[in-house]
Amino acid sequence: MAVETGNVRVATTGSPQGIAVLGATGSIGVSTLDVLANHPDRFRVIALAAHHSVDRLLAQCLQFRPRYAVLAAPEAAAVFAARTRELLPELTVLTGEEGLATVASLPEVDQVMAAIVGAAGLRSTLAAVRAGKRVLLANKESLVMAGRLFMEEVRTHGAEILPVDSEHNAVFQCLPSGAGHLTEKGIRRILLTASGGPFRTWSMEALAEVTPEQAIAHPNWVMGRKISVDSATMMNKGLEVIEACWLFDAPPERVEVLIHPQSVVHSMVEYEDRSVLAQLGNPDMRTPIAHALAWPERIESGVASLDFWSMKALHFEPVDRSRFPCLDLAYQALRRGGTAPAVMNAANEIAVQAFLERQIRFTDIVRTVETTLTTVPIQSADNLSNIFEADTAARDCATDWIQHNFLQQ
Ligand code: NAD
Ligand code: MG
C-alpha cells in the first residue's frame, strides 16, 4: 500500500508482500534474497525453489524461514525433506514441475521471481502467470519459446510482468506509463546495449580456441554459467531482442543492438522527436531486481552509487555480425515465427552444455544452432504441446549432430 503526499509516495504499514523465488540458489535468486533480506517489513519469503542444491537451499531456508521449499529433482527433495524434518518442522517440501507450479500459484504469494535458467523455467513461469501473479521475469527463455502464448495468458489472467533482465528493466523505466502501441507513444526505436562479452575484440581464429573458463569470466557481470556463455557468443542479446519484442509489443525492426563495453547504460528508448532516454547504473542485478520488487515505488537495493568521476568514458560501437552470428540467427528465428525461436533456444542450450563439457569448440555453438534450425520442421506456436515437441525435436537433433560430428571416431 502507498499513499500520495504531495509528490512523494510513502509506503504505509500494510502486510508484507508474499514472495516465491524460483531459482533461489542461482545468481539472480541469491541477488533477490540479498535485496529481500534488507526489507523484512515489506516482503515475506513464502517459497524457495531450486533444482538439486540441497545445502544451499537449506542455508537459505534457515535464514528466510519460508513455508515451502521445492527441489525439482526428486532424489534431492527426498534428502532435503529428511534433513529438514526436525530442523524445520513447519516447512513443506515439494518436488518436480508440480511442486514448482504449486508454489508459483499459492494464494499467499503476491510476487513470483521467475529465475530458473532455460526452458526448464517455462511451465512454472506460466503457472505464475495463470494464477494472475506479479511475475518478476528473469527467465527470458520462456518468452523466447512461447512469447505469443505467454503474453496472451498474461492478458487473460490479469498477470503483471515486470522485467528483471537489466536491458528490459531499463527500457521499462524509459517508457511512458500506460497502455498503447509504441507508435502511439511516439517511440521510434528500442536500443538494447550489449557489453560485447569477454571476446568482443577477438579474431575468429582466437574464438575457435576459447575455453569454458574464459567464456564464463564476464568482464562486467557475475552470472550463471549458461547466460555467461550466451553473453560471450552474443546469443544472449539475440534472446533479449526476442524478449523485448514480446514484452513491449515491438516489431523486430524497432529493436536494435549496440555494443557498450562499460555496461553503465543499460538500454535506451528513442522517441519521434529524437530524444533518447537511457537508464544508467552500476552493473549489478540488485538494481533491476529491487526496481521490479517495489514498482512503482523505489527501495534501497544495496548497490553503490555510480561514480561519475572514476568513469573515464562511455563507448558505443556496432556489433560485428560476422564474428558474432548468433544475433542475426535470433532475428531470423523471430521473423520466421512459430516454433523457430523455441528450436533455436533448445539447440543453444544443448550446444552450450556440450561446449562447457569440452565436447565442441566455442565456434561450434552457432553451427549446432544453425544446423538444428535448418533441420527441425517449424510449426505454429499457438499451443504448449507444439512448443515442447519442437523443444524436444531440437534437443535430439542438436545432440545427434554433435554426436555425429564431434564424439565419434
Ligand atoms: P544460474 O545458473 O545461476 O541459476 C539457475 C537457477 O535455476 C538455480 O537456482 C537452479 O537450481 C535453478 N534450476 C536450474 N534447472 C532447474 C530445473 N530443472 N528445475 C528447477 N530449478 C532449476 O542462472 P542465473 O544466471 O541466475 O539465470 C537465471 C535466469 O535469469 C536465466 O534465464 C537468465 O537468462 C536470466 N538472467 C540472468 C541474469 C544474471 O545476471 N545472472 C541477468 C539477466 C537475466
Ligand atoms: Mg540482460
Side-chain angles (χ1 to χ4, degrees):
M1 268 291 284
V3 290
E4 305 276 346
T5 57
N7 290 327
V8 183
R9 290 175 71 91
V10 180
T12 57
T13 47
S15 54
Q17 292 264 302
I19 314 283
V21 184
L22 312 182
T25 56
S27 165
I28 293 288
V30 168
S31 293
T32 303
L33 291 176
D34 187 81
V35 176
L36 293 174
N38 289 324
H39 300 282
D41 297 340
R42 195 182 256 271
F43 304 112
R44 161 114 176 75
V45 176
I46 305 289
L48 293 175
H51 191 201
H52 47 48
S53 339
V54 171
D55 290 338
R56 270 196 239 169
L57 193 70
L58 180 56
Q60 293 179 340
C61 287
L62 287 169
Q63 183 182 353
F64 290 92
R65 305 275 161 169
R67 282 182 218 142
Y68 297 85
V70 186
L71 277 166
E75 322 75 59
V79 173
F80 188 83
R83 282 182 61 186
T84 51
R85 203 160 290 134
E86 283 182 13
L87 216 49
L88 294 164
E90 308 289 305
L91 183 69
T92 302
V93 180
L94 303 172
T95 188
E97 285 283 358
E98 249 181 57
L100 295 171
T102 301
V103 298
S105 41
L106 287 167
E108 61 268 46
V109 165
D110 302 293
Q111 307 199 31
V112 176
M113 168 55 81
I116 291 175
V117 61
L122 175 56
R123 286 187 200 277
S124 52
T125 308
L126 267 182
V129 166
R130 287 174 175 156
K133 303 298 185 195
R134 173 188 279 207
V135 180
L136 316 185
L137 187 70
N139 178 244
K140 64 192 86 183
E141 294 90 346
S142 53
L143 269 184
V144 170
M145 292 175 74
R148 183 178 307 283
L149 192 119
F150 189 103
M151 295 312 287
E152 275 167 16
E153 297 276 9
V154 168
R155 284 186 286 275
T156 306
H157 298 279
E160 194 176 22
I161 303 295
L162 283 157
V164 168
D165 213 346
S166 58
E167 297 76 3
H168 306 73
N169 184 271
V171 169
F172 183 82
Q173 294 195 46
C174 297
L175 287 175
S177 57
H181 196 264
L182 289 191
T183 44
E184 293 160 13
K185 292 172 163 177
I187 291 158
R188 277 174 57 80
R189 295 187 292 168
I190 289 173
L191 296 159
L192 299 182
T193 53
S195 70
F199 312 128
R200 181 172 59 90
T201 58
W202 289 33
S203 68
M204 279 308 284
E205 296 70 39
L207 286 176
E209 304 305 323
V210 157
T211 65
E213 292 72 23
Q214 290 169 321
I216 59 177
H218 195 279
N220 306 337
W221 298 92
V222 181
M223 306 182 288
R225 282 152 54 93
K226 192 253 177 188
I227 185 176
S228 297
V229 177
D230 285 350
S231 298
T233 59
M234 291 205 65
M235 178 57 92
N236 182 49
K237 213 47 56 179
L239 301 176
E240 290 184 355
V241 166
I242 301 175
E243 180 186 13
C245 288
W246 289 116
L247 276 177
F248 306 120
D249 195 15
E253 60 276 13
R254 296 242 177 193
V255 179
E256 293 177 29
V257 174
L258 64 161
I259 301 280
H260 165 50
Q262 292 81 15
S263 299
V264 166
V265 175
H266 297 312
S267 277
M268 301 180 270
V269 174
E270 185 189 53
Y271 287 81
E272 284 301 342
D273 60 7
R274 306 309 193 262
S275 291
V276 177
L277 299 192
Q279 186 260 353
L280 282 69
N282 280 318
D284 186 321
M285 289 306 293
R286 290 176 299 171
T287 295
I289 290 168
H291 172 268
L293 276 166
W295 187 84
E297 296 173 18
R298 296 274 182 171
I299 56 171
E300 172 61 59
S301 63
V303 177
S305 286
L306 201 52
D307 181 354
F308 287 93
W309 317 133
S310 71
M311 215 173 5
K312 290 190 186 63
L314 299 179
H315 291 113
F316 298 94
E317 60 193 47
V319 180
D320 181 340
R321 299 178 114 94
S322 60
R323 282 184 303 123
F324 297 100
C326 283
L327 182 60
D328 281 340
L329 218 51
Y331 272 105
Q332 283 158 21
L334 175 62
R335 290 202 162 96
R336 196 161 163 200
T339 52
V343 166
M344 179 190 78
N345 177 68
N348 181 57
E349 286 189 26
I350 293 292
V352 168
Q353 192 55 37
F355 165 69
L356 287 171
E357 290 170 12
R358 298 175 208 277
Q359 294 171 353
I360 64 173
R361 286 173 306 176
F362 183 74
T363 40
D364 295 323
I365 296 174
V366 67
R367 291 177 62 206
T368 309
V369 178
E370 234 169 354
T371 306
T372 309
L373 269 169
T374 52
T375 311
V376 173
I378 303 305
Q379 318 275 345
S380 83
D382 47 17
N383 63 69
L384 264 190
S385 60
N386 274 10
I387 292 168
F388 279 112
E389 256 172 46
D391 177 88
T392 306
R395 281 169 202 275
D396 292 347
C397 175
T399 305
D400 285 353
W401 192 75
I402 290 170
Q403 177 76 27
H404 185 75
N405 286 281
F406 301 100
L407 304 181
Q408 282 172 357
Q409 294 307 320

